[in-house]
Amino acid sequence: MSSTQLSRKEQIDQVATSLFKSRGFAATTMRDLALELGIEAGSLYSHIKSKEDILQRVCFKMADEFNAAFDEVKNKDVPAGEKLRLAVAAHVRVLTKNPPAAGVFLNEWRHLSEPSLSKFHDMRFQYEESLREIVREGIASGEFKVTDEKFVVLTLLSSLNWLHMWYKPEGKMSPDDIAEFLSNLLLNGLKNF
Amino acid sequence: MSSTQLSRKEQIDQVATSLFKSRGFAATTMRDLALELGIEAGSLYSHIKSKEDILQRVCFKMADEFNAAFDEVKNKDVPAGEKLRLAVAAHVRVLTKNPPAAGVFLNEWRHLSEPSLSKFHDMRFQYEESLREIVREGIASGEFKVTDEKFVVLTLLSSLNWLHMWYKPEGKMSPDDIAEFLSNLLLNGLKNF
DNA sequence: TAAATTTGCTAACGGCCGTTCGCATTAGTA
DNA sequence: TACTAATGCGAACGGCCGTTAGCAAATTTA
């Protein structure tokens, strides 16, 4: 039993999100979605504008959450290594709070049409750029021995963004445990973990 | 101009692969595919059995390549760290040899239907298990300081399997450069790179 | 109570989907 | 030359797709 009351529209978004994640946006039909909600397909349109309408809401809501979480880290005056830890923790927290939405955000955004698609691209680039800036700080101060910040951030995000594929809230690792593990692995490596 | 002659069927597989990768399997129509090849949709069926037929060939061909590359590493008598380096290099080599096929292998396999889907799952599990075995060796010998080999392999594969998203053959890093970078990052971390 | 909003149904629309069929044309082979 | 295989066309099939329209209950608000 849920503690907060969801509007019908929010229910639709939520159920659609888990279908989009497990079957993909293109392979999910409005009739599937309606069936899952126990209503007819046509009835959905009393609440939503279109199928892509749902996708847009999910994608941009998640984007906002990532940005909000990162904004709290961005301007802290701590060493780069520590800042990276905080950024990883923030990212993991968003990712694990709603794994289906995270999955849609990460894998289904390409089904957005213009101009949403371009807007999404821009937001994503900005986010990645902020992470690169942290790594550049660490390189400049000598804290990080690596030289290619682009590659590092790509690798970092790759490991983070696979999380939603296997993370289960009932598992034995909490989001913070996961964040700590990933930070240690990235910063110290297998041999110095 | 290509050096080896492709049969029509191979051409179809190749063009389909890049469409499946860029648009997704479900969002790619046979008419799209035919258009790209300059023929009519119905004509495709002189060469292939069905749409999923193509997906199966691509997925299992890639699976075979990963297994073949890994088999050359598996039983080498070298320290775990070195073996992991070799495994990473082998994986990267397969991944970069044909990025579109790699993308389909990694993201579109879920559109396989039974019994192909189960077979695919099994092969994948076996592959991952072999990697975990290497990490376990490293932990047992004290070479690796980490404790959770499952998590390590998940993270490793995550970073590797994002590669096809940004790798461009004409870029300045060769597959072996990439493999070396990733191995160093994983083994030594940002701080000791 | 009356009005307004929310929620849902049934039926249908135009269109696109994967696939099949029968028939041609071309290229390779003996 | 005649046979065979490879290749392709055009039309059509049954079916599913997202979406719309008109209408009816139910629920909330005033």
Side-chain angles (χ1 to χ4, degrees):
Chain A
M1 195 154 197
S2 172
S3 54
T4 57
Q5 197 65 261
L6 288 187
S7 74
R8 206 61 173 121
K9 183 175 178 180
E10 289 166 329
Q11 276 184 48
I12 292 174
D13 283 357
Q14 183 176 301
V15 173
T17 298
S18 70
L19 287 179
F20 289 172
K21 189 196 169 175
S22 60
R23 310 184 189 178
F25 176 77
T28 302
T29 71
M30 298 305 274
R31 284 166 177 85
D32 287 340
L33 174 53
L35 186 67
E36 203 82 7
L37 287 157
I39 61 176
E40 295 298 315
S43 309
L44 290 166
Y45 289 84
S46 300
H47 308 277
I48 62 163
K49 217 170 102 279
S50 68
K51 189 185 180 187
E52 195 188 319
D53 187 37
I54 305 176
L55 183 62
Q56 283 183 25
R57 267 195 304 280
V58 176
C59 286
F60 287 104
K61 193 168 152 240
M62 284 300 292
D64 288 343
E65 292 199 26
F66 278 112
N67 282 330
F70 188 74
D71 280 345
E72 292 182 16
V73 172
K74 201 189 282 192
N75 296 316
K76 288 213 171 166
D77 194 19
V78 292
E82 184 55 25
K83 203 189 271 194
L84 203 55
R85 273 183 198 282
L86 293 172
V88 167
H91 194 97
V92 170
R93 228 174 289 124
V94 176
L95 225 38
T96 53
K97 200 171 75 179
N98 190 349
V104 172
F105 172 82
L106 291 166
N107 294 322
E108 305 301 327
W109 56 267
R110 60 181 168 155
H111 294 107
L112 291 169
S113 57
E114 295 295 354
S116 300
L117 186 57
S118 295
K119 185 182 162 195
F120 189 87
H121 269 132
D122 292 347
M123 293 182 77
R124 197 183 181 95
F125 179 84
Q126 268 310 318
Y127 188 80
E128 292 178 10
E129 182 58 24
S130 303
L131 284 177
R132 282 192 287 271
E133 181 54 31
I134 298 181
V135 177
R136 265 185 241 116
E137 283 173 29
I139 294 173
S141 73
E143 194 177 353
F144 299 161
K145 307 301 181 212
V146 82
T147 57
D148 188 335
E149 88 275 6
K150 286 204 214 102
F151 204 139
V152 169
V153 170
L154 240 18
T155 307
L156 169 62
L157 282 175
S158 303
S159 9
L160 290 175
N161 291 343
W162 213 260
L163 238 176
H164 71 95
M165 297 279 269
W166 56 267
Y167 172 77
K168 293 278 159 9
E170 65 274 16
K172 58 180 183 290
M173 287 182 93
S174 73
D176 284 342
D177 290 340
I178 292 172
E180 197 196 333
F181 187 100
L182 284 171
S183 296
N184 283 339
L185 191 55
L186 181 76
L187 290 167
N188 304 319
L190 279 181
K191 291 188 171 176
N192 313 283
F193 192 90
Chain B
M1 197 148 200
S2 173
S3 55
T4 56
Q5 197 67 260
L6 288 186
S7 75
R8 205 63 172 121
K9 184 175 176 180
E10 288 166 328
Q11 277 182 49
I12 293 175
D13 284 357
Q14 184 177 300
V15 173
T17 299
S18 68
L19 287 179
F20 288 172
K21 190 199 168 173
S22 59
R23 309 184 188 177
F25 176 77
T28 302
T29 70
M30 298 306 274
R31 284 166 177 85
D32 287 340
L33 174 53
L35 186 67
E36 203 83 7
L37 288 157
I39 60 177
E40 295 296 316
S43 308
L44 290 166
Y45 291 82
S46 299
H47 308 277
I48 62 162
K49 217 170 101 279
S50 68
K51 188 184 180 186
E52 194 187 319
D53 187 36
I54 305 176
L55 183 63
Q56 282 182 28
R57 268 195 303 280
V58 176
C59 286
F60 286 104
K61 193 168 151 238
M62 284 301 292
D64 287 344
E65 291 199 27
F66 278 111
N67 282 330
F70 188 75
D71 280 345
E72 291 182 17
V73 173
K74 200 188 284 192
N75 295 316
K76 287 211 172 168
D77 193 20
V78 292
E82 183 56 23
K83 202 187 271 195
L84 202 56
R85 274 183 198 280
L86 293 172
V88 167
H91 193 97
V92 170
R93 228 175 288 124
V94 176
L95 224 39
T96 52
K97 201 171 75 178
N98 190 348
V104 172
F105 172 81
L106 291 167
N107 293 322
E108 306 300 327
W109 57 266
R110 60 181 167 155
H111 294 107
L112 291 170
S113 56
E114 296 293 355
S116 299
L117 186 58
S118 294
K119 187 183 162 195
F120 189 88
H121 269 133
D122 292 348
M123 293 183 75
R124 197 183 182 96
F125 180 84
Q126 268 310 316
Y127 187 80
E128 293 178 8
E129 181 58 23
S130 303
L131 283 176
R132 282 192 286 271
E133 181 53 32
I134 298 181
V135 177
R136 263 184 242 117
E137 283 174 31
I139 294 173
S141 73
E143 194 176 354
F144 300 159
K145 306 302 181 213
V146 83
T147 55
D148 187 335
E149 87 276 5
K150 287 205 215 104
F151 204 140
V152 169
V153 169
L154 240 19
T155 306
L156 169 62
L157 283 176
S158 303
S159 13
L160 291 175
N161 290 342
W162 213 260
L163 238 177
H164 71 95
M165 296 279 269
W166 56 268
Y167 172 76
K168 294 280 158 10
E170 66 273 17
K172 58 180 185 288
M173 288 182 92
S174 73
D176 283 343
D177 290 340
I178 293 172
E180 198 196 333
F181 188 100
L182 285 170
S183 296
N184 283 339
L185 191 55
L186 182 76
L187 290 167
N188 304 318
L190 278 180
K191 293 188 171 176
N192 313 282
F193 193 89

